[in-house]
Amino acid sequence: MELRRPILQDKQDFLDMQAEFERFGSRASGNIYAWQKADGNFERWLDLLHQQETRDVLESGLGPFVLYLSYEGNRLLGLLALRTTNTPTVLSEYGHIGYCIRPSERGKGYAKEQLRLGLIEAKAKAISRVLLTCHVDNEASRRTILSQGGQLENQVDGTERYWIELEEA
């Protein structure tokens, strides 16, 4: 698996994956604000994501973040958002990393690898302590977080909060 920033050539893969999320009634975590603000326009979405890497153009309270596409070969598997600042919203609700795997590819171990790669990206951006959150009913996400060393801090309003300490280089 590889994580990479989206490019124009990913348009059809991305639109196909978005349609799959909609068919399954599932939300593409880490992507929803930008996609809504772009009104479903892929080129506008790319522009927003580029801007969002340095400032909160989405006015979501998440601060800057980098969105990655997760590919296995030529198959788009999911998304990972790496939030690079400790805004109150990041620290209280969303955490530093949001990730999702398309519904047809779940249960195959991809989320674990995606999160592992996301933690490498976080470390490269000098983030030494990563907060991840999941809903108390999301057993798959909990297992994914725990597989990467997540330590439960607490539970707030139905959301579990886990920290992962990244080793220093």
Side-chain angles (χ1 to χ4, degrees), residues 29-30 62 64-66 81-85 90 94-99 127:
S29 179
L62 295 173
F65 68 81
V66 180
L82 175 58
R83 301 167 190 121
T84 56
T85 57
V90 167
Y94 293 98
H96 293 99
I97 296 177
Y99 57 91
I127 301 171

Side-chain angles (χ1 to χ4, degrees), residues 71-104:
Y71 271 90
E72 182 71 35
N74 62 357
R75 174 87 166 140
L76 177 56
L77 300 174
L79 304 166
L80 183 135
L82 175 58
R83 301 167 190 121
T84 56
T85 57
N86 291 328
T87 69
T89 302
V90 167
L91 294 176
S92 66
E93 295 179 54
Y94 293 98
H96 293 99
I97 296 177
Y99 57 91
C100 62
I101 297 293
R102 67 190 306 156
S104 65

Side-chain angles (χ1 to χ4, degrees), residues 18-145:
Q18 281 294 111
E20 183 177 318
F21 276 111
E22 290 173 18
R23 277 194 315 276
F24 280 79
S26 185
R27 193 172 75 118
S29 179
N31 172 53
I32 195 73
Y33 297 117
W35 189 243
Q36 287 175 344
K37 189 164 184 171
D39 293 322
N41 180 297
F42 187 82
E43 291 79 5
R44 173 76 177 122
W45 178 73
L46 286 177
D47 183 54
L48 284 170
L49 292 178
H50 179 73
Q51 294 176 51
Q52 188 65 34
E53 290 187 15
T54 57
R55 64 188 190 285
D56 191 358
V57 297
L58 301 177
E59 301 171 8
S60 63
L62 295 173
F65 68 81
V66 180
L67 187 94
Y68 299 92
L69 300 181
S70 302
Y71 271 90
E72 182 71 35
N74 62 357
R75 174 87 166 140
L76 177 56
L77 300 174
L79 304 166
L80 183 135
L82 175 58
R83 301 167 190 121
T84 56
T85 57
N86 291 328
T87 69
T89 302
V90 167
L91 294 176
S92 66
E93 295 179 54
Y94 293 98
H96 293 99
I97 296 177
Y99 57 91
C100 62
I101 297 293
R102 67 190 306 156
S104 65
E105 299 294 342
R106 292 178 182 162
K108 300 177 182 178
Y110 290 127
K112 179 179 175 180
E113 178 64 6
Q114 183 183 51
L115 178 54
R116 186 186 73 77
L117 293 172
L119 293 170
I120 291 170
E121 292 294 325
K123 186 175 177 180
K125 294 194 178 307
I127 301 171
S128 61
R129 191 168 188 241
V130 176
L131 175 66
L132 293 123
T133 64
C134 71
H135 192 272
V136 294
D137 295 335
N138 192 339
E139 181 62 30
S141 189
R142 178 183 305 107
R143 284 192 315 267
T144 298
I145 294 167

